[in-house]
Amino acid sequence: MTPKQLIKAARKEHPNASKKDIARAAFFSIIANADQDRGKVKNLQAFTLAERVDDGR
């Protein structure tokens, strides 16, 4: 899933969610699932880092 697809899917379920809220939720998902699926964790980590950089931090 690409970052754009993740945002689109999240907004489908949560239309009022901001990009920042979605990135934060992805980060928390990394923490919750770190020991279960490394592939998903790597994808979520790349997404959250990309969103953090896009925010200008």
Side-chain angles (χ1 to χ4, degrees), residues 3 11 32 36 41 46 52 55-56:
R11 285 203 172 132
Q36 295 176 9
V41 168
R52 185 174 178 123
D55 263 354

Side-chain angles (χ1 to χ4, degrees), residues 7-49:
I7 290 170
K8 186 176 179 179
R11 285 203 172 132
K12 186 176 181 180
E13 293 295 320
H14 305 280
N16 296 327
S18 69
K19 221 174 167 183
K20 186 175 182 176
D21 291 336
I22 295 167
R24 191 170 282 149
F27 181 73
F28 287 127
S29 182
I30 290 170
I31 294 168
N33 297 299
D35 60 342
Q36 295 176 9
D37 188 335
R38 291 182 188 248
K40 287 181 184 177
V41 168
K42 288 179 107 177
N43 289 340
L44 287 169
Q45 183 180 33
F47 170 75
T48 56
L49 291 174

